[in-house]
């Protein structure tokens, strides 16, 4: 199954960036997670795989289930879960963001 862009995802990256504040991390880290979430939303893949709309509330709830960590840690944990369940979510993992310890 290929990822084709969705017409309009409805995911607000700015609202997600603000909502991710509850998990700590830096502003650049939260913006990077929100950008990856927006990229995922644009593909339409998550609703096709799960039957659920990708929203800010859903993402925050899923990341709250992660064992621990910053927004990127939690996001990567969730992408790993989705990769095991459906395959192909690895490309949405956060690898680097401005200000990260290994950035540079």
């Amino acid at each position: 199954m290929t990822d084709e862009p969705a017409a309009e995802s409805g995911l607000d990256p700015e609202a997600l960036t603000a909502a991710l504040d509850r998990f700590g991390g830096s502003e650049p880290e939260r913006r990077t997670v929100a950008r990856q979430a927006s990229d995922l939303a644009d593909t339409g893949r998550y609703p096709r795989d799960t039957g659920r709309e990708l929203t800010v509330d859903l993402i925050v709830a899923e990341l709250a289930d992660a064992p621990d960590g910053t927004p990127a840690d939690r996001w990567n944990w969730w992408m790993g879960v989705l990769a095991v369940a459906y395959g192909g979510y690895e490309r949405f993992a956060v690898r680097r963001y401005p200000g990260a310890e290994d950035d540079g």
Side-chain angles (χ1 to χ4, degrees):
M1 180 178 271
T2 61
D3 291 335
E4 297 175 15
E8 188 72 29
S9 73
L11 180 69
D12 181 350
E14 291 177 21
L16 179 56
T17 299
L20 292 174
D21 187 56
R22 71 181 275 189
F23 303 119
S26 67
E27 182 73 14
E29 178 183 4
R30 293 188 297 271
R31 280 195 314 265
T32 301
V33 171
R35 188 169 40 253
Q36 291 300 94
S38 182
D39 288 350
L40 173 57
D42 286 347
T43 68
R45 179 184 185 114
Y46 183 81
R48 280 194 311 270
D49 286 344
T50 68
R52 300 180 341 174
E53 183 181 352
L54 190 62
T55 65
V56 170
D57 289 341
L58 179 130
I59 292 169
V60 169
E62 293 291 348
L63 299 190
D65 285 343
D68 244 342
T70 66
D73 296 331
R74 291 168 181 272
W75 173 261
N76 288 343
W77 173 84
W78 188 39
M79 290 303 100
V81 169
L82 292 172
V84 168
Y86 303 103
Y89 283 82
E90 300 87 354
R91 69 184 182 143
F92 298 104
V94 171
R95 307 229 189 290
R96 298 181 79 177
Y97 54 89
E101 288 180 20
D102 65 337
D103 188 34

